[in-house]
DNA sequence: TCCCATTTTTTACGTGTGTAAAGATTACGC
DNA sequence: GCGTAATCTTTACACACGTAAAAAATGGGA
């Protein structure tokens, strides 16, 4: 059975025998028309191929029902997890998510923001690119549509609503745990591409100093190009282990991907990190990357609460869209990380 | 300096002192107006905040310059890699990509298709969900806009253009390699959620039979729920190793995520897979998941050519959009996998 | 200075739907 | 059968821009 194709609501109204304005109301809320007409329209729709034109639909509305999400990288399970939670939360709230990936390129990030503005999205969630982001873009965005920063936040944007993990606290948690169980940790940093990494590093340093330990940070120099975190972690730790350094220390990695590289460097040197191991060699990460339970040994890490962050950022954005609680200082929501004890530390 | 905000082209034309149709032409092609006016407009734009309305812009055009991409899962680096390549290729070709993730839900997948139709995208690339996909949706899509299947293809959709990896060939390659270097492999399957997995399994069986070996497939029963491939691989292999089975065999895994789980099961049993190892215990994967070089031991696998697949699918879609080479049988493009020899096999 | 070609302005209509107002129809209770 | 309220149809305008045609302005060369 071939359904006849119908392009406009006008045609549809003829085909069904109902006026166009009535159809229009039906599509926006089927309960806004009498039940008998509602049934009549439903029956008609089954016999026909019709999809309302998205553009025409949204053009006249104050609200487009869309929220834009800018995500910096696709090839990182951390971000995809976050994006997934955001999409699900937005879907729940009846919004359509348009996501754009900046592919490590500030120019693309800027263009994505531009696209959102021209599409009249009701609001945007921005997971910033990092240090390279073009801050002017955010300022521009700010003046035109509600937006919330997620996961990380440039130091120059402290006046914007923000949802993320309390890195200070979570890093403390881990540092504290490592100190309690053995030698105070060394921090394996990553190239300065991201604000969170710095926050964690700072938190580590503060915590160590406060407890009378001497902080040691390695891996701040760029060894591998770009976002090859695993390769970076492997190269840095390999270099030190080759010199016989840190073979009986805890290595606290800036994130799990770095830690995965570090695990490999350890294996190459015949070291098996773990709290059960003699000698006190241990490796810990941060983020609870989905693969952590499957590394060898399984990686001890701090889990970020993706779901809470995703949900909270969407809800807050919707609040702003609706003009609720928009006076006063920017609303900052920080969620606690959870220590995931596995094998490696 | 505060730029005055301008909402419509009408207002802009007053502000700059140029007629609206001229502005319209300028935005579509700056060279279509006299250079002096072009400069005048440029100067004006610098003093003013203006973003053309996306919807109004596209409504009257035959072409919206957008292509839609449906991707089944976000939390899998395989798909994100593919999506990235697609986005970059589309960007190169001057198209805007709208991507929608189906989150393992056929209903969401269907809605994404619906959205694309209502947005009048010029065409769509579809990476199917797998067996659960609602095939009616594709048929519907087919009758309304050009689309190309990517990565995997339902058996009921053999009449649609398709771009992917030649699994038959790549699986042969691996099976052949494993046979040459030691005991013929056992195939560690994954739950039947995906057509590629089956294709690979079939290819394995055919190859083994053709060469006089007895094919053995394990892990077809669902042990872990859903897409927890790593957990599945670990559980299946662990069960067999516990019985003392396959400790001197090659394990060919349906994909790398399954293999990562298998690696862990091996480690738990004190086995180190590798071509250098005595006893012939080896593990191999498929896809060249980005983490493969960092597993312990590094995973031998078959790399899919993401870039080629992404580029080819976009180019083919654009061909269809332009009405080129659309007669004749469906165009199938299969790319060869490349054997990545690392440590595990 | 004048003519002609090029470019711009003016005017007007099209895109598909939202939406408001006024008039026509229907449903329902009495 | 009548009145009233709910619902529907008709009509009209709006949204922001594409686009076509005719009229006006501009620029450059002779």
């Amino acid at each position: 059975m071939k359904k006849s194709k119908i392009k406009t609501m006008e045609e549809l109204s003829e085909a069904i025998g109902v006026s166009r304005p009535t159809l229009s109301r039906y599509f926006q809320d089927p309960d806004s028309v009498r039940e008998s007409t509602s049934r009549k329209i439903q029956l008609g729709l089954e016999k026909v191929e019709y999809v309302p034109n998205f553009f025409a639909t949204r053009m006249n509305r104050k609200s487009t029902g869309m929220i834009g999400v800018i995500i910096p990288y696709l090839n990182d399970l951390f971000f995809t997890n976050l994006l997934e939670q955001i999409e699900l939360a937005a879907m729940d709230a009846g919004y359509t998510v348009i996501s754009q990936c900046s592919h490590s390129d500030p120019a693309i990030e800027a263009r994505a923001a531009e696209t959102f503005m021209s599409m009249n999205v009701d609001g945007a969630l921005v997971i910033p690119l990092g240090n390279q982001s073009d801050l002017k873009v955010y300022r521009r965005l700010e003046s035109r549509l509600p937006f919330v920063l997620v996961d990380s936040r440039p130091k120059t944007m402290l006046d914007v609503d923000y949802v993320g993990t309390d890195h200070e606290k979570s890093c403390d948690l881990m540092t504290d745990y490592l100190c309690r169980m053995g030698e105070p940790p060394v921090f394996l940093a990553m190239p300065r591409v991201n604000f969170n990494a710095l926050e964690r590093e700072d938190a580590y340093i503060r915590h160590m100093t406060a407890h009378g330990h001497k902080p040691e940070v390695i891996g701040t120099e760029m060894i591998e190009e770009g976002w090859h975190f695993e390769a970076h972690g492997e190269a840095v730790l390999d270099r030190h282990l080759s010199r016989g350094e840190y073979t009986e220390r805890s290595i606290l990695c800036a994130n799990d991907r770095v830690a995965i590289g570090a695990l490999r460097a350890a294996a190459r040197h015949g070291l098996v990190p773990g709290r059960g191991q003699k000698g006190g060699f241990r490796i810990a990460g941060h983020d609870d990357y989905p693969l952590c339970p499957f590394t060898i040994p399984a990686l001890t890490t701090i889990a970020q609460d993706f779901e809470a962050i995703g949900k909270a950022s969407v809800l807050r954005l919707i609040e702003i869209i609706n003009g609720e609680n928009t006076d006063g200082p920017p609303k900052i929501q920080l969620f606690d990380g959870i220590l995931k004890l596995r094998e490696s530390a």
Side-chain angles (χ1 to χ4, degrees), chain A residues 134-144 147 155-160:
Chain A
D134 186 348
L135 297 178
K136 277 178 296 181
V137 175
Y138 296 147
R139 289 297 168 204
R140 178 109 178 278
L141 208 54
E142 197 177 12
S143 71
R144 289 186 126 260
F147 83 107
K155 284 232 160 51
T156 49
M157 306 221 62
L158 301 181
D159 52 345
V160 178

Side-chain angles (χ1 to χ4, degrees), chain A residues 78-96:
Chain A
F78 174 81
F79 292 123
T80 57
N81 262 302
L82 194 50
L83 178 56
E84 180 168 51
Q85 295 303 328
I86 289 174
E87 290 198 351
L88 294 176
M91 208 178 294
D92 270 357
Y95 281 83
T96 302

Side-chain angles (χ1 to χ4, degrees), chain A residues 322-342:
Chain A
N322 296 334
E324 299 160 10
N325 304 326
T326 58
D327 43 359
K331 199 169 167 197
I332 312 295
Q333 294 181 72
L334 297 180
F335 290 89
D336 286 349
I338 297 165
L339 192 58
K340 293 269 180 183
L341 288 184
R342 287 196 264 258

Side-chain angles (χ1 to χ4, degrees), chain A residues 126-137:
Chain A
V126 179
I127 310 176
L129 200 48
N131 291 329
Q132 326 139 38
S133 282
D134 186 348
L135 297 178
K136 277 178 296 181
V137 175

Side-chain angles (χ1 to χ4, degrees), chain A residues 315-326:
Chain A
L315 291 181
R316 176 56 185 153
L317 182 60
I318 294 178
E319 249 185 34
I320 308 180
I321 291 173
N322 296 334
E324 299 160 10
N325 304 326
T326 58

Side-chain angles (χ1 to χ4, degrees), chain A residues 35-191:
Chain A
E35 208 204 319
S36 59
T37 10
S38 167
R39 262 204 310 277
K40 184 174 173 188
I41 295 177
Q42 271 174 29
L43 274 173
L45 282 176
E46 281 170 20
K47 295 198 197 104
V48 141
E49 285 264 329
Y50 170 73
V51 185
N53 181 306
F54 193 85
F55 302 122
T57 308
R58 317 282 157 148
M59 209 162 57
N60 274 355
R61 294 206 187 131
K62 340 102 209 53
S63 158
T64 54
M66 303 190 299
I67 70 181
V69 179
I70 298 184
I71 183 180
Y73 305 92
L74 273 175
N75 292 320
D76 191 314
L77 295 178
F78 174 81
F79 292 123
T80 57
N81 262 302
L82 194 50
L83 178 56
E84 180 168 51
Q85 295 303 328
I86 289 174
E87 290 198 351
L88 294 176
M91 208 178 294
D92 270 357
Y95 281 83
T96 302
V97 168
I98 303 287
S99 64
Q100 299 264 297
C101 171
S102 23
H103 297 290
S104 353
D105 184 344
I108 300 183
E109 190 184 41
R111 207 173 54 187
E114 205 78 12
T115 303
F116 288 160
M117 291 191 267
S118 82
M119 287 178 59
N120 288 329
V121 298
D122 293 337
L125 294 176
V126 179
I127 310 176
L129 200 48
N131 291 329
Q132 326 139 38
S133 282
D134 186 348
L135 297 178
K136 277 178 296 181
V137 175
Y138 296 147
R139 289 297 168 204
R140 178 109 178 278
L141 208 54
E142 197 177 12
S143 71
R144 289 186 126 260
L145 50 89
F147 83 107
V148 172
L149 287 170
V150 186
D151 173 60
S152 107
R153 137 177 100 142
K155 284 232 160 51
T156 49
M157 306 221 62
L158 301 181
D159 52 345
V160 178
D161 283 9
Y162 169 65
V163 181
T165 290
D166 189 338
H167 292 100
E168 174 89 31
K169 216 169 180 178
S170 69
C171 204
D172 269 12
L173 201 66
M174 180 61 94
T175 311
D176 194 57
Y177 165 73
L178 292 174
C179 285
R180 265 186 293 124
M181 306 296 285
E183 286 291 300
V186 176
F187 191 86
L188 204 174
M190 60 186 193

